[in-house]
Amino acid sequence: MFIFTLRKLNLFLFTMLLLTILSFSLSFLFPGEQLINISGQINATEQELAILATSYNQEGNIFEQYLAYVFHIFSGDLGVSMSSQTDIAGEIVRLLPATIELSMFAFVIATVIGVPIGFVAAINHNKVTDNVILAVAMIGYSVPVFWLGLLAILTFSIQLGWLPSGGQISLLYEIERPTGFMFIDILVSESPHKWQALQNAYAHIILPAFVIAAAPATVFIRLARSAMLSVLETSYIRATRAKGLSFIQIIFRHAIRNALIKVIQHIGLQFANLVTLAMITEVIFNWPGIGRWLIESIYQRDYTAIQSGLLVLSTFIFIVHIITDYTYAALNPLARGAKYGSR
Amino acid sequence: MNLLDIRNLSIELIGKNESTLAVDRVSLAMKEGEVRGLVGESGSGKSLLAQAIIGVLDDKWRVSADRFHWRGKELLHLPIEERKAIITQDVAMIFQEPISCLDPTTTIGEQLEEAIDSSQLTGNFWQRRKQRKEAAVTLLHKVGIKQHELCNKSYPHQLTEAFCQRVMIAIALARRPMLLIADEPTASMESTNQGQIFRLLASLNQLKNMSILLISHDLENITHWTNTITVMYSGQFVEAGTTEQIFNKPFHPYTQALLDSSLNANSNVPAKSRLMALPGSIPILQHLPIGCRLGPRCPRAQQACVAAPKVKNYHGHQVSCHYSLRDSYK
């Protein structure tokens, strides 16, 4: 397990290296002066620019400049936004939790709904249930998320009036935000209307989360279905049948675990896709997350914000990847004790 | 009384337009305490037959038979669930490539424990867990594994092929079967390990009076361990009899060819001479010859062979051939 952790850490370091190189080179590739792109100080005076130049080590060669940039990142300085002149790191700390909350919620929904349905489809292979599930999955996968979001608002918020159409929580509730995570903040808050606020926050998150979850859930259905089908055909399942276990026992004791292992490997990859969907959905549902902020920065040509936003989002996705890798290793004994040279 | 008596069992592969007869009216009978070899080339339907007996074929295959007696009880009329319950209670099977037959994500101990039937356990539910563990350890000892703790904790990929096969045998023994079907148990194993596995099976046969159906493609190798042998070719019954009958006086040209093709140390083969083998190869399922399926390759084939021969019985030595070699021994 220690070596496994070291390997993952190693991978993380190299990915971070590449990501920072990419975001550093973006400051050269964007139009305008590199120093202003990287720091976001558009209204700086000559003296301020001179100070900035020394802090970003502009006299040194490109490698030294890169080191200075990395140093800035690690000291928590991502520059200021070109359009609003606010500190980007602060903005991100304020906005990222909302996105994490939303995407995690959607991710859980997609997994909890998608994977079991996929298993059910595989168990009823070539029957009506299987075909119906596959057809629904195909439709769900093909519907574009921006249209689905608008449709959901039209039906559930405007016509039926069940759920709010946008925002994270109703403005009536005054919740202090020490962590930035809405649900945690509500639970730790001293507000007398804590439980109503919690209910309200749930009502707000359901619609966007389901809209985001629709496409990944259908992918999970198909992944889980094919994984389960291949597991059901293996010789160890046949051997357990010969052993005299009932079908339900086989499914729950052997098939599900083996199929899950195959699914989890792909689930991590789907997370990047899910975050992209979340960014668009945030715009539609007016969700105060980093996705909406990033898309707005793209509209406003706020190069510093784009650069840092990309860096932060990709780090987030990569961390989720590592977590799924750990889950995979926990479930799969073959991955845990991989021998030298075996992969 | 026969333990297992199967008459004219056919297995069809159901296709979209037509079905293919993979196993064509094969009969098989097993007595209690008997070790029977089931021999044939790869692709001759031995494994299919075994899987049909134990009932683990999936719904791509259709099995039909004239008679399927288990300990004098006709199983064909029973509903499928009941039939499976009876069969899995008394018949166990071990497969080739044992590593792939063990769940890779579950420890050996768990897989062994779940095979133990709870009806064997006495006592209350809080004692059962411990009893199950003890029973699993006893099973491991029975198949000659002494380091039971290490073994119980291991995953299949951490053990060798022969070790896994022992575990498979232990799992098979968990239900105390009367019949053990061993489907090429030593395929892809070293010969020392092969010997160990065969010796283990032989001792189980002698100590527990357990019948064994030993499936192999290697006639030479299994003759040391079997009492009787059934030979199959391309899904058809060829010949059955005691090991001596088959080995010393084969009646069927195919059995003769099988024996001739195997080399041993005292056979005087001149240098650089061709080895004995039938011309051609086993037909594929899509292009099966009519009548006797050996026909195109058979050295003794004549016109009558386009019709499938009837099984003839000479003092327990059954042969399915129009022109059997029986007359040539007189």
Side-chain angles (χ1 to χ4, degrees), chain A residues 278-292:
Chain A
M279 286 168 64
I280 298 163
T281 316
E282 278 176 11
V283 176
I284 299 169
F285 284 88
N286 202 21
W287 190 266
I290 197 171
R292 195 179 62 143

Side-chain angles (χ1 to χ4, degrees), chain A residues 163-170 199-208 287:
Chain A
L163 297 163
S165 66
Q168 204 175 9
I169 191 164
S170 171
Q199 236 171 17
N200 193 269
Y202 270 119
H204 275 86
I205 206 170
I206 283 176
L207 213 48
W287 190 266

Side-chain angles (χ1 to χ4, degrees), chain A residues 29-246:
Chain A
L29 296 172
F30 283 138
E33 199 162 329
Q34 189 257 337
L35 183 60
I36 294 176
N37 280 344
I38 210 166
S39 64
Q41 305 277 8
I42 37 173
N43 304 323
T45 58
E46 286 291 323
Q47 289 91 355
E48 281 171 334
L49 274 183
I51 296 168
L52 269 181
T54 42
S55 85
Y56 279 100
N57 209 354
Q58 292 277 303
E59 278 82 40
N61 59 21
I62 194 94
F63 181 68
E64 285 163 353
Q65 286 185 33
Y66 168 72
L67 282 186
Y69 171 65
V70 171
F71 182 75
H72 269 269
I73 292 176
F74 278 104
S75 54
D77 173 24
L78 295 172
V80 295
S81 162
M82 279 171 150
S83 55
S84 64
Q85 293 293 310
T86 46
D87 180 33
I88 289 179
E91 288 277 285
I92 285 173
V93 169
R94 194 168 58 83
L95 296 172
L96 190 61
T99 300
I100 293 179
E101 231 167 17
L102 183 63
S103 46
M104 282 296 165
F105 213 84
F107 188 61
V108 170
I109 290 175
T111 319
V112 168
I113 292 180
V115 174
I117 290 183
F119 287 165
V120 168
I123 290 163
N124 297 305
H125 184 46
N126 278 343
K127 289 185 192 145
V128 182
T129 331
D130 184 27
N131 292 334
V132 168
I133 290 174
L134 264 192
V136 172
M138 204 61 223
I139 293 169
Y141 188 64
S142 327
V143 173
V145 66
F146 50 87
W147 186 68
L148 187 68
L150 292 179
L151 216 60
I153 292 179
L154 267 180
T155 348
F156 294 104
S157 313
I158 296 174
Q159 285 190 348
L160 297 169
W162 290 348
L163 297 163
S165 66
Q168 204 175 9
I169 191 164
S170 171
L171 292 172
L172 291 172
Y173 300 99
E174 279 186 21
I175 305 288
E176 278 188 37
R177 312 296 301 277
T179 60
F181 291 96
M182 182 56 85
F183 288 95
I184 298 174
D185 287 342
I186 290 174
L187 286 175
V188 300
S189 76
E190 309 277 304
S191 162
H193 306 293
K194 203 153 106 169
W195 301 113
Q196 287 94 320
L198 195 67
Q199 236 171 17
N200 193 269
Y202 270 119
H204 275 86
I205 206 170
I206 283 176
L207 213 48
F210 268 95
V211 168
I212 298 169
T218 54
V219 176
F220 292 167
I221 287 177
R222 291 197 287 175
L223 282 176
R225 179 176 168 274
S226 62
M228 186 55 119
L229 279 182
S230 65
V231 165
L232 284 180
E233 272 175 12
T234 52
S235 29
Y236 54 83
I237 293 295
R238 194 182 309 141
T240 48
R241 278 204 286 167
K243 217 153 87 170
L245 295 190
S246 71

Side-chain angles (χ1 to χ4, degrees), chain A residues 332-335 337 339, chain B residues 99 103-104 108 154-160 164:
Chain A
N332 190 0
L334 285 168
K339 314 234 170 8
Chain B
I99 288 186
D103 183 345
I108 299 289
S154 315
Y155 288 95
H157 68 274
Q158 295 167 324
L159 304 178
T160 63
C164 278

Side-chain angles (χ1 to χ4, degrees), chain A residues 233-245 253-255 257-258 261 331-334 336-337 339, chain B residues 51 54 56-58 84 88 93 95 100-106 110-111 114-115 155 157 168 171 175:
Chain A
E233 272 175 12
T234 52
S235 29
Y236 54 83
I237 293 295
R238 194 182 309 141
T240 48
R241 278 204 286 167
K243 217 153 87 170
L245 295 190
R253 286 205 189 153
H254 298 287
R257 178 153 29 166
N258 283 293
I261 286 171
L331 276 173
N332 190 0
L334 285 168
R336 248 177 277 157
K339 314 234 170 8
Chain B
Q51 289 173 22
I54 201 151
V56 293
L57 285 178
D58 47 24
K84 263 188 88 172
T88 49
M93 184 162 175
F95 298 84
S100 70
C101 290
L102 290 164
D103 183 345
T105 57
T106 316
E110 272 178 69
Q111 302 193 40
E114 73 181 7
Y155 288 95
H157 68 274
M168 285 301 290
I171 288 175
R175 302 227 158 201

